[in-house]
Amino acid sequence: MIMYSLRELSLEAKVAVGSGVVFFSMLISRTLISESVDMDTRAALYRAQFLLFINSVMLIASLYVWRRMTGNLCRVRRVSQRLLRCWKMLVLLFLVLSHSSYVTMFYLVAEEPHWVAMLSFTCLGSYIILLFFLFLFSCVEQCHRLVTRRAAVSDTSTADSGSRAKVALALALTLVLTALGLLNAARPPVVVRVEVPVDKLSPSFDNLKLVLLSDIHLGPTVGKSRLEMVVAMVNELQPDIVVIVGDLADSQVSRLKSVAEPLRRMGSRLGTFFVTGNHDYYTADVDSWLGYLRTLNVMPLHNANARISASEQSKEWFCLAGVDDLEARLFKYPGHGMDLTRALSGCDPDRAIILLAHQPLAAKRALQERPEISLVLSGHTHAGQIFPLSIMAYLVNPFFSGLYRVGNRSFVYVTPGTVYYGIPMRIGSTAQITEIILKTP
């Protein structure tokens, strides 16, 4: 009975069912997997499940793109069969490259980005934009028919001509936005100066310079030269403190050890600090990363805090705390998971508290639980990175990008990120190094 029902489903529906099966297998394996299983096995299982899931979901969209991009041309008599075959091969190559992007995320990581990784992730960015416009124009057409109470156009040639025009427009917009996105992402991050009044901050820390970095995403499309540029820009600012609020890497330490080496040259008078992001856990190598960062003079705040003093002799200090990313518990990392009580242990509520928390949702929860926190620094959203993903990023995050006042005395600052994730494009957002000047109220 079940097999007969499956045979009756369309190809898209079958793929959707398969995607659901893979997704629930991921949840079940996260629940049942023993903590005694070594991290290499966990990493291999995660990579296999992730690649299978993301490509099965993309396959549904790819079938839609394929039919929209090639269907109408088959009915055009003026198009030669050779030209039609070439176009189909081009569309197929584009889809294959888009699907292979996440394969390079796990298996094509080197000191500098490989051209195959750059090409495949560029295709993925274009794929997302093209899919959005194809779907949008289709929805607009259907809504127009409903509003005007018109049935489907009886003249097939006229309908096909209109459909081809919409596809051509979607393709043109995709090419333009792809080019603009590539140019924007290739530029160095902009330095943005923000003054933040910090409640209970001692006058001795007035005008303290804190440089905020996030979402560097060392991996298949972000290499050593990009990190060297970021470090050089940070050092020019002569910061008192540097903080990296998660998503430093997208692969294991063994593959990115030399890529992360420039962090050793990061200059900061009072120290450089790090908290984990969700992608740091996706590497399945987070403990190795925390250990390696310590050798680079970067101090992880693993549900911990540090007392920041202006000098060794000064009795004035504030608490700089950091929490693990929210998704650590989802992936069942032993000893990891957001623990605000532990992170703030020893912090004086009568002194300023600055919290590092990768996700804005963690910032919201932290302030709900401990409203005495003066300032929370987050990343994660990338300010959407590329349109139309910015729409979803805006809707699912309580804080999107920039400075937010929470209550009477607390602030949240969300950086749009220092580089980019995977897709070497930025549309409607800009990579940023944030120079935060702490001010006494």
Side-chain angles (χ1 to χ4, degrees):
M1 182 70 176
I2 295 176
M3 293 302 297
Y4 176 78
S5 299
L6 287 174
R7 284 197 295 269
E8 292 297 309
L9 293 175
S10 65
L11 180 57
E12 290 90 340
K14 290 177 182 177
V15 175
V17 171
S19 301
V21 171
V22 175
F23 177 73
F24 283 109
S25 74
M26 293 172 70
L27 295 181
I28 292 170
S29 68
R30 295 292 181 271
T31 303
L32 299 180
I33 192 168
S34 171
E35 292 185 357
S36 62
V37 175
D38 64 274
M39 283 299 178
D40 288 339
T41 304
R42 284 173 181 247
L45 177 62
Y46 167 73
R47 283 194 291 269
Q49 289 177 319
F50 180 81
L51 289 174
L52 185 59
F53 174 68
I54 197 71
N55 279 286
S56 58
V57 171
M58 286 179 64
L59 185 56
I60 302 172
S62 295
L63 290 170
Y64 176 77
V65 171
W66 173 261
R67 287 169 180 168
R68 291 299 308 273
M69 296 296 290
T70 64
N72 290 331
L73 285 178
C74 296
R75 295 190 290 270
V76 180
R77 296 178 182 178
R78 296 189 302 275
V79 177
S80 68
Q81 289 301 310
R82 178 179 295 180
L83 183 60
L84 182 60
R85 283 195 299 269
C86 289
W87 175 247
K88 286 185 173 181
M89 288 297 295
L90 186 61
V91 174
L92 181 61
L93 177 62
F94 168 73
L95 294 175
V96 169
L97 284 169
S98 300
H99 278 260
S100 67
S101 55
Y102 282 99
V103 177
T104 70
M105 176 71 71
F106 295 116
Y107 301 108
L108 199 61
V109 178
E111 192 168 281
E112 295 297 340
H114 195 284
W115 69 269
V116 173
M118 294 295 288
L119 178 60
S120 62
F121 270 103
T122 299
C123 288
L124 178 63
S126 300
Y127 174 96
I128 293 169
I129 299 167
L130 177 62
L131 179 64
F132 172 78
F133 281 118
L134 288 175
F135 185 72
L136 176 66
F137 292 157
S138 178
C139 289
V140 169
E141 182 179 10
Q142 294 301 320
C143 289
H144 180 260
R145 288 177 178 174
L146 288 173
V147 170
T148 56
R149 296 181 180 180
R150 291 171 55 192
V153 180
S154 56
D155 187 345
T156 304
S157 62
T158 303
D160 287 347
S161 176
S163 181
R164 287 194 297 273
K166 293 181 179 67
V167 169
L169 178 59
L171 185 58
L173 289 171
T174 298
L175 292 173
V176 170
L177 289 177
T178 296
L180 293 175
L182 289 170
L183 290 172
N184 190 26
R187 296 190 181 102
V190 298
V191 177
V192 175
R193 181 186 172 96
V194 180
E195 292 187 356
V196 182
V198 178
D199 187 42
K200 293 173 284 191
L201 185 70
S202 169
S204 61
F205 293 110
D206 193 41
N207 290 318
L208 187 86
K209 185 184 297 184
L210 183 152
V211 169
L212 171 63
L213 307 176
S214 181
D215 302 285
I216 296 174
H217 289 286
L218 300 176
T221 60
V222 179
K224 186 175 183 179
S225 60
R226 174 67 67 142
L227 183 59
E228 287 175 336
M229 177 187 67
V230 169
V231 170
M233 292 179 68
V234 170
N235 288 343
E236 286 180 5
L237 298 175
Q238 298 181 335
D240 295 302
I241 301 173
V242 175
V243 297
I244 307 171
V245 291
D247 284 3
L248 173 65
D250 284 315
S251 192
Q252 297 94 332
V253 170
S254 58
R255 298 186 180 197
L256 293 171
K257 201 167 188 176
S258 63
V259 180
E261 180 65 25
L263 290 174
R264 190 186 303 278
R265 300 191 292 275
M266 189 90 78
S268 54
R269 185 172 65 87
L270 300 176
T272 300
F273 300 88
F274 170 81
V275 292
T276 55
N278 53 314
H279 283 261
D280 300 305
Y281 287 102
Y282 297 166
T283 68
D285 198 28
V286 69
D287 286 318
S288 297
W289 270 111
L290 297 186
Y292 182 55
L293 287 174
R294 290 187 183 95
T295 70
L296 300 177
N297 301 317
V298 177
M299 177 58 65
L301 295 177
H302 171 32
N303 288 322
N305 63 75
R307 291 187 177 188
I308 305 298
S309 300
S311 65
E312 293 183 1
Q313 294 78 25
S314 176
K315 294 183 179 180
E316 299 294 335
W317 57 275
F318 68 86
C319 189
L320 180 66
V323 289
D324 293 348
D325 185 70
L326 288 170
E327 294 188 30
R329 295 194 188 280
L330 176 65
F331 286 90
K332 293 190 174 295
Y333 274 84
H336 287 262
M338 181 177 172
D339 188 340
L340 187 62
T341 301
R342 180 180 158 197
L344 298 184
S345 176
C347 291
D348 186 347
D350 293 326
R351 298 177 187 268
I353 299 174
I354 297 177
L355 179 68
L356 311 181
H358 176 65
Q359 297 195 38
L361 180 58
K364 179 182 178 180
R365 292 180 181 177
L367 287 171
Q368 288 173 338
E369 185 177 341
R370 300 289 291 270
E372 70 270 22
I373 296 172
S374 308
L375 172 64
V376 187
L377 302 175
S378 298
H380 184 64
T381 69
H382 295 225
Q385 185 166 322
I386 66 169
F387 179 83
L389 297 183
S390 50
I391 300 172
M392 182 174 65
Y394 180 81
L395 293 175
V396 302
N397 289 284
F399 310 107
F400 179 61
S401 181
L403 185 65
Y404 297 83
R405 191 182 192 105
V406 181
N408 294 325
R409 300 182 177 179
S410 300
F411 287 89
V412 174
Y413 189 86
V414 182
T415 169
T418 309
V419 191
Y420 49 72
Y421 169 57
I423 299 170
M425 297 162 58
R426 275 191 175 267
I427 302 169
S429 67
T430 304
Q432 181 182 120
I433 293 173
T434 314
E435 185 182 29
I436 295 179
I437 309 300
L438 306 184
K439 307 290 290 186
T440 54

